[in-house]
């Protein structure tokens, strides 16, 4: 049984995870950025900066600003931060601290400049021989804050281990889905973030629902093509971690990636659109890393490639989408 | 080349089809309900009752109230009306009128009390040996009226014939997708209408996007299970006629089926909800016919079955969805 975990990260997704575990009566040691933030959480039962309407139960949550303190005593360490900070964080960890612990990641992008998905990066860095667990959606942090019925995917290669975590999650609004394809789940999440930018651009360009439906169904085909090529495991793409995760981004008002896309579709320069956002749209960075990966694989993914050109090669969204239109079916 | 067609039906979807063909410079003989409606269309370039903001080019559209007049001179007859009227309409047609013509259907439900999908019903009734063509989405009529970029599926077993129709469609906002699985496309459309009611109920019950994504991905699995069992043809469910058609209903503000579901989810009695709607929500009737078909097949489809119980057996939506929740993954 899981009694003590550590969440490393204090953005909105990390805050949602802290809430889920605390509401499951599991003690959470939570690494936050500064003492002021820790004090605020202790005093007000909520994170001042992100997802501030999520109620955090102080009986089960101990904020700390010290990495070693956050980790010691936890059975499971969950890395849940923007991908850009993962490398620096793991480099600050003395591997001795991790003795007898389990590791999990909940990050939807590549680790920058490595081409690695988070679980593989962490495993490689710590020369970890145990399977690294992956927590995934489809979930918006905002709806966890509101305690809306949510399915949380726990992916890992050891069925016993993911079951142990799953059975500990007793928050009444959470339902666990098990999955044995942790790499596929991470890649699908990366791809859907890029697709979320694509649907946002389409929306910004005033395409309608008829187009959006075809864009999304073709996107699913690209995700399928990529996963089959990269990770040929047997998987049912209708499992919620793949198709569901795409939908929760592609058709959402909560998605940052979709918001970024919409600004670009409306005509804002990419750098300005990025600058105007409070939170990180992971799809922007992921699309650059993914382009390198797909080039190496010799894969042609029209929508994904088009978003890469718009984000990183100054392509005109209007013209790109005129080209994409013709390639969809 | 297609120069003359006939559209039988004058609801919003029929109106959208008339517009698409007229904007492709194809002459349309259009069967409407009364002389007044025909005169209004001639005088005002639009259908007074449905989709009244769609501009209809009078140079290419000839409204008529006479069935034989509508049919004679047309190379292709398209039946596009609520399924409830199909039987009465075909019974009014003298088979001699159909000599040397092609038949198409664009109706998303079973023919009531027959268990037949429209293309098979028409083929059987007229002892038609030529393939009956199917026109399908994903399209909202409303977006065709607004000339939004739209993909129209033309499904049929004769590639040459569907290509001939497709190449005649030159309306600038229309892109044609060919499909060789006309029965599968019709069944998928029927199922997605029922799923549209399901997502509407979920919305009415205040479930969020996290749940909706999982509901929709499980729905796709049910559609897949049904189609594999009923029509084991090789098909790519990511083609827009399947997955795209589901999305355009499940996530739409335009869908009547979703609207019906939302009223029911909010607590309105089914009969009152039906009575309050101006247009037919085909999914209501289809769910009864489909229940008979799946019972015969011995198939268990949790979401589809649950919607059947809510619509036709007075089941409580709140309780049904609590049961459905647990069956999703």
């Amino acid at each position: 049984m899981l009694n003590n975990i550590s969440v490393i990260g204090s953005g909105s997704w990390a805050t949602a995870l802290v809430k889920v575990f605390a509401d499951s009566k599991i003690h959470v040691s939570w690494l936050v950025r500064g003492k002021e933030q820790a004090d605020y959480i202790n005093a007000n039962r909520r994170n001042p900066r992100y997802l501030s309407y999520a109620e955090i139960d102080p009986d089960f949550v101990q904020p700390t600003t010290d990495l070693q303190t956050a980790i010691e005593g936890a059975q499971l360490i969950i890395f849940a931060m923007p991908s850009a900070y993962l490398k620096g964080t793991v480099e600050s960890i003395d591997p001795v601290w991790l003795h007898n612990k389990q590791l999990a990641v909940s990050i939807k992008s590549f680790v920058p400049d490595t081409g690695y998905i988070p679980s593989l990066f962490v495993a490689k860095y710590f020369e970890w021989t145990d399977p690294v667990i992956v927590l995934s959606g489809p979930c918006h942090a905002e709806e966890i804050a509101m305690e809306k019925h949510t399915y949380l995917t726990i992916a890992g290669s050891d069925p016993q281990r993911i079951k142990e975590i799953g059975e500990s999650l007793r928050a009444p609004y959470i339902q666990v889905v098990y999955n044995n394809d942790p790499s596929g789940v991470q890649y699908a999440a990366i791809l859907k973030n890029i697709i979320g930018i694509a649907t946002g651009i389409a929306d910004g360009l005033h395409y309608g629902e008829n187009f959006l439906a075809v864009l999304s169904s073709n996107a699913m085909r690209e995700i399928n093509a990529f996963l089959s090529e990269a990770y040929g495991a047997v998987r049912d793409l209708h499992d919620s971690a793949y198709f569901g995760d795409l939908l929760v981004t592609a058709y959402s008002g909560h998605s940052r990636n979709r918001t970024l896309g919409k600004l670009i579709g409306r005509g804002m320069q990419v750098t300005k659109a990025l600058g105007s956002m409070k939170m990180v749209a992971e799809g922007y960075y992921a699309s650059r890393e993914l382009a390198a990966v797909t080039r190496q694989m010799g894969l042609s993914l029209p929508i994904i490639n088009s978003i890469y050109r718009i984000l990183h090669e100054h392509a005109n969204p209007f013209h790109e989408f005129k080209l994409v239109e013709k390639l969809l079916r």
Side-chain angles (χ1 to χ4, degrees), chain A:
Chain A
M1 213 52 191
L2 207 57
N3 294 310
N4 291 284
I5 70 148
S6 171
V7 172
I8 311 294
S10 58
S12 36
W13 179 236
T15 307
L17 283 177
V18 166
K19 177 177 168 62
V20 167
F21 282 91
D23 288 349
S24 301
K25 317 271 179 225
I26 295 166
H27 291 274
V28 182
S29 186
W30 186 11
L31 184 76
V32 297
R33 294 223 189 124
K35 191 173 173 312
E36 210 177 320
Q37 192 181 9
D39 290 345
Y40 187 97
I41 294 167
N42 277 328
N44 300 286
R45 311 167 67 103
R46 37 205 200 90
N47 185 352
R49 286 194 58 196
Y50 294 105
L51 210 68
S52 56
Y53 50 104
E55 167 116 359
I56 305 291
D57 186 342
D59 290 348
F60 287 94
V61 177
Q62 186 57 54
T64 172
T65 58
D66 182 71
L67 187 53
Q68 186 176 1
T69 309
I71 289 175
E72 73 186 2
Q75 300 157 280
L76 172 71
I77 323 291
I78 304 172
F79 295 98
M81 70 250 297
S83 61
Y85 305 136
L86 181 61
K87 193 156 175 279
T89 304
V90 299
E91 284 172 355
S92 312
I93 293 175
D94 183 336
V96 175
W97 301 348
L98 302 179
H99 184 64
N100 263 340
K101 297 184 188 301
Q102 295 182 50
L103 298 183
V105 294
S106 197
I107 297 170
K108 299 194 164 178
S109 192
F110 291 102
V111 181
D113 307 319
T114 68
Y116 276 106
I117 51 178
S119 70
L120 295 184
F121 177 81
V122 166
K124 184 162 179 280
Y125 182 85
F126 291 119
E127 298 175 353
W128 205 251
T129 49
D130 265 10
V132 174
I133 288 148
V134 173
L135 301 181
S136 187
C139 340
H140 290 297
E142 292 83 349
E143 291 198 351
I144 288 180
M146 297 184 256
E147 305 186 0
K148 294 269 183 192
H149 195 75
T150 290
Y151 297 76
L152 193 70
T153 297
I154 306 182
S157 52
D158 179 345
Q160 196 51 45
R161 204 162 283 215
I162 60 176
K163 211 176 149 210
E164 196 201 21
I165 299 173
E167 288 178 354
S168 304
L169 287 178
R170 289 160 305 179
Y173 50 86
I174 289 291
Q175 192 164 326
V176 171
V177 181
Y178 299 105
N179 180 297
N180 62 4
D181 176 32
S183 296
V185 163
Q186 283 171 99
Y187 271 115
I190 289 170
L191 284 142
K192 68 99 197 191
N193 277 341
I194 303 172
I195 297 301
I197 297 178
T199 58
I201 293 176
D203 196 11
L205 288 168
H206 295 289
Y207 283 91
E209 292 181 5
N210 292 357
F211 179 77
L212 201 57
V214 174
L215 183 68
S216 301
S217 59
N218 280 266
M220 202 61 208
R221 189 185 286 122
E222 292 191 18
I223 292 177
N224 189 23
F226 179 87
L227 290 181
S228 307
E229 187 73 25
Y231 279 87
V234 177
R235 60 176 70 83
D236 180 353
L237 282 181
H238 303 124
D239 277 354
S240 46
Y242 310 100
F243 181 27
D245 205 29
L246 170 69
L247 292 181
V248 90
T249 294
Y251 277 89
S252 171
H254 296 306
S255 163
R256 308 167 201 182
N257 292 293
R258 200 173 196 285
T259 303
L260 176 69
K262 193 164 173 171
L263 294 173
I264 295 168
R266 286 273 157 83
M268 197 183 276
Q269 276 189 350
V270 174
T271 44
K272 284 208 178 132
L274 281 169
S276 76
M277 292 189 58
K278 188 189 162 201
M279 296 191 285
V280 179
E282 289 276 20
Y284 172 77
Y285 305 99
S287 86
R288 196 174 44 204
E289 305 273 334
L290 189 70
V293 174
T294 53
R295 253 195 302 271
Q296 234 171 8
M297 288 163 73
L299 260 183
S300 167
L301 306 172
I303 304 170
I304 297 278
N305 293 347
S306 184
I307 299 308
Y308 170 76
R309 287 191 295 269
I310 293 169
L311 295 179
H312 302 287
E313 293 184 345
H314 306 287
N316 177 328
F318 176 74
H319 291 148
E320 278 297 326
F321 270 65
K322 284 284 162 208
L323 298 175
V324 166
E325 269 182 12
K326 299 303 161 211
L327 299 172
L328 304 184
R329 59 193 163 96

